Amino acid sequence: DAKTTQPPSMDCAEGRAANLPCNHSTISGNEYVYWYRQIHSQGPQYIIHGLKNNETNEMASLIITEDRKSSTLILPHATLRDTAVYYCIVRVIAGGGADGLTFGKGTHLIIQP
Amino acid sequence: EPEVTQTPSHQVTQMGQEVILRCVPISNHLYFYWYRQILGQKVEFLVSFYNNEISEKSEIFDDQFSVERPDGSNFTLKIRSTKLEDSAMYFCASSVDSYTNNEQFFGPGTRLTVL
């Protein structure tokens, strides 16, 4: 799986949009960008994933650059409950095999009241 | 909403003892996983399990570890002869399949403390 680079920490004011960047310059054509988050001491939680088109769900939006070398996770209206470590993971969705996720250190997002 | 459950939430054991961590994956899921997170460190993949056999395992998953799905619902991680460095949070996860989304749903974790 391709390597990702994320800032170690970010602050965001409550109610504002939180934009979390991720660099994945060595991404391959068949690798997807996944985002998970881990609220303190809890199990990681899936947020969103995409291949090359921008994606949106009830939790967040994912913007992937045209060259796919970077992406941004957007939490449109951050709340205090969004304080967590956010992980950007690049991986192939493999048929016939149950691939484990490779977590990096992620970005510790702190939502300020 | 269906969720992955894990028991116990906290397990304390003496070094050299065997422990079994239990997980109940989401009922229609086919793939099962164990991860661990040593305090202050990254979440690390241990093993994945499909169709009653190990699908993939990491270097961490050595002969000290084993997994089993003893019945139709439970998925267990056994650690034989625990060591101090096995102290960690252990997370179970499950997914529907690996062909489409492969979103993994994680349980709340078991905190293992080896004394």
Side-chain angles (χ1 to χ4, degrees):
Chain A
D1 295 335
K3 181 178 169 57
T4 62
T5 304
Q6 298 179 253
S9 66
M10 292 181 64
D11 286 350
C12 179
E14 188 177 18
R16 305 298 293 266
N19 296 276
L20 292 93
C22 179
N23 284 317
H24 31 78
S25 58
T26 60
I27 192 170
S28 300
N30 62 346
E31 288 183 310
Y32 287 69
V33 180
Y34 275 76
W35 284 84
Y36 280 75
R37 73 179 181 183
Q38 186 177 25
I39 296 170
H40 180 64
S41 295
Q42 297 181 22
Q45 177 190 23
Y46 166 83
I47 301 172
I48 198 167
H49 78 286
L51 182 62
K52 52 185 174 183
N53 297 320
N54 298 338
E55 303 287 344
T56 296
N57 63 19
E58 65 278 5
M59 288 183 69
S61 294
L62 174 60
I63 307 298
I64 302 174
T65 58
E66 194 168 338
D67 63 7
R68 302 209 324 122
K69 293 186 176 181
S70 66
S71 60
T72 301
L73 178 75
I74 301 172
L75 307 179
H77 304 288
T79 70
L80 297 178
R81 288 191 299 270
D82 292 321
T83 292
V85 179
Y86 287 77
Y87 302 100
C88 171
I89 299 171
V90 171
R91 60 193 297 262
V92 176
I93 295 182
D99 297 342
L101 296 170
T102 301
F103 289 86
K105 294 183 179 179
T107 295
H108 187 194
L109 175 67
I110 299 171
I111 306 301
Q112 304 282 1
Chain B
E1 185 175 323
E3 58 183 19
V4 176
T5 59
Q6 292 185 242
T7 55
S9 56
H10 191 187
Q11 173 91 44
V12 181
T13 190
Q14 295 291 325
M15 188 171 57
Q17 295 296 304
E18 174 182 287
V19 294
I20 297 176
L21 310 183
R22 291 182 168 80
C23 168
V24 178
I26 295 173
S27 61
N28 64 332
H29 285 188
L30 302 176
Y31 293 85
F32 314 112
Y33 313 81
W34 283 102
Y35 293 81
R36 79 172 185 190
Q37 186 174 32
I38 296 170
L39 185 64
Q41 298 188 23
K42 297 185 289 186
V43 177
E44 300 173 292
F45 168 72
L46 293 178
V47 66
S48 60
F49 192 84
Y50 170 71
N51 200 26
N52 282 320
E53 60 183 28
I54 289 174
S55 182
E56 183 187 1
K57 60 182 181 179
S58 71
E59 292 177 352
I60 303 168
F61 193 88
D62 59 22
D63 292 343
Q64 179 194 13
F65 295 91
S66 62
V67 289
E68 193 177 34
R69 191 158 158 81
D71 53 42
S73 59
N74 289 286
F75 178 51
T76 63
L77 174 69
K78 182 188 292 184
I79 310 174
R80 287 182 281 274
S81 189
T82 49
K83 303 188 281 263
L84 295 176
E85 55 263 39
D86 294 328
S87 294
M89 281 289 286
Y90 287 82
F91 295 107
C92 173
S94 67
S95 64
V96 175
D97 62 50
S98 67
Y99 285 87
T100 56
N101 175 339
N102 198 17
E103 172 187 348
Q104 294 183 23
F105 291 80
F106 285 76
T110 292
R111 179 171 299 283
L112 176 64
T113 302
V114 182
L115 302 176

